Each structure stands twice: as C-alpha cells, then as structure tokens.
Amino acid sequence: MMNHLITFARLFPVLVFCLAISLMTSCEKESFAPAPTSNLVEYSDLAEAEYAPKDKAYIQAPAFTFEIQKNYCTLEGVNLNVIIDQPENYTFKWAIDGNHGGHNSYTPGCVCGNSATVFITRLSDGMSLRQAIELPDCGVDYE
C-alpha cells in the first residue's frame, strides 16, 4: 500500500504541471489569431484586371530596372557595363553573337560583331530580364 501512495505522490505534481501547461497553451493559441486579409486582389494579367470590378486594386510585382552603358574602345568594339542598384543581388550572363561572354556585370574587354545580350536574374526571387544591344562591326577601316 505504501508503494502506491509514493507513486501517486510523485504522479500528482506531474499531472498538475501538465494541466497548467495545457491551459497556458490553449490561451496562447487564441492570441495568435490570423490577421484580417486585405481587400486587394492579384490578377494574373492586365486583361483580367481590366474586366475586374473597379473597387478591386491590381497589384503587379515590381520589376527591376537597369541600363547598359556603352564605352567605345580605341581600336575597335565597345565595352558594355550594366548599371543597376545593388549589383551583388543579381547574377549576370553575357552572350556575344550567341557565344558565352562572361558572368560579370561587364563584358570581358572590347567586343564587336552583331549583338550582345545580357541575362540578369534577381537572386531574391529568380526574376529574370534580358536585353540585347547591337554591336559595331569588327575590323572596320576608319581611313
């Protein structure tokens, strides 16, 4: 009989502790109610937004902007450089006349030919943009 009393004496504080934790947890759950949702609606394209009710707002993900700076070289070709805010947040890939042209924000030296294309990807969300630019011909005689 004594063993049962000792076991119950040890079990009683554990039960009280579990009951107290369960009551605290149930009270905390109510405090984490989800925030009310916004009335704004995201549409997949502008055509869908055009025919939507006018009281709903159209949200478009902001695109990043950049500029390609062109510096003419002394002998032939141009050196291209991407001007963009916080370039460390993007990856770059150049294609010069369809051939690999590097992974920097600038071209590797002076380039010439038909066209150069830069592919820029934002690291935070994977959004990519590209822009092509015409290049001067190679071996042009200026005489």
Side-chain angles (χ1 to χ4, degrees):
M1 179 77 165
M2 189 64 151
N3 286 339
H4 293 292
L5 289 176
I6 292 173
T7 305
F8 182 72
R10 288 183 182 171
L11 185 61
F12 183 72
V14 172
L15 289 174
V16 170
F17 179 74
C18 290
L19 180 63
I21 293 295
S22 67
L23 289 175
M24 286 185 346
T25 308
S26 65
C27 292
E28 288 178 5
K29 286 181 184 175
E30 292 177 14
S31 66
F32 291 113
T37 58
S38 173
N39 291 342
L40 298 178
V41 176
E42 291 189 39
Y43 295 103
S44 59
D45 60 1
L46 289 174
E48 183 182 352
E50 184 177 337
Y51 296 106
K54 297 304 177 200
D55 62 333
K56 303 289 183 183
Y58 175 74
I59 300 173
Q60 184 177 8
F64 55 89
T65 58
F66 64 95
E67 181 182 327
I68 297 178
Q69 182 181 25
K70 185 190 290 189
N71 296 317
Y72 287 91
C73 298
T74 307
L75 296 177
E76 67 180 12
V78 292
N79 189 359
L80 303 174
N81 189 16
V82 175
I83 307 297
I84 191 168
D85 288 336
Q86 299 177 336
E88 63 276 2
N89 295 335
Y90 300 90
T91 61
F92 303 92
K93 181 181 175 186
W94 287 94
I96 311 297
D97 290 336
N99 298 317
H100 180 69
H103 292 282
N104 295 317
S105 62
Y106 51 88
T107 55
C110 296
V111 293
C112 58
N114 293 325
S115 68
T117 305
V118 64
F119 300 88
I120 303 175
T121 303
R122 185 167 46 196
L123 296 173
S124 62
D125 61 359
M127 181 179 194
S128 291
L129 294 177
R130 71 177 178 171
Q131 184 173 345
I133 189 166
E134 289 186 27
L135 296 175
D137 292 332
C138 295
V140 175
D141 247 352
Y142 291 111
E143 294 179 33

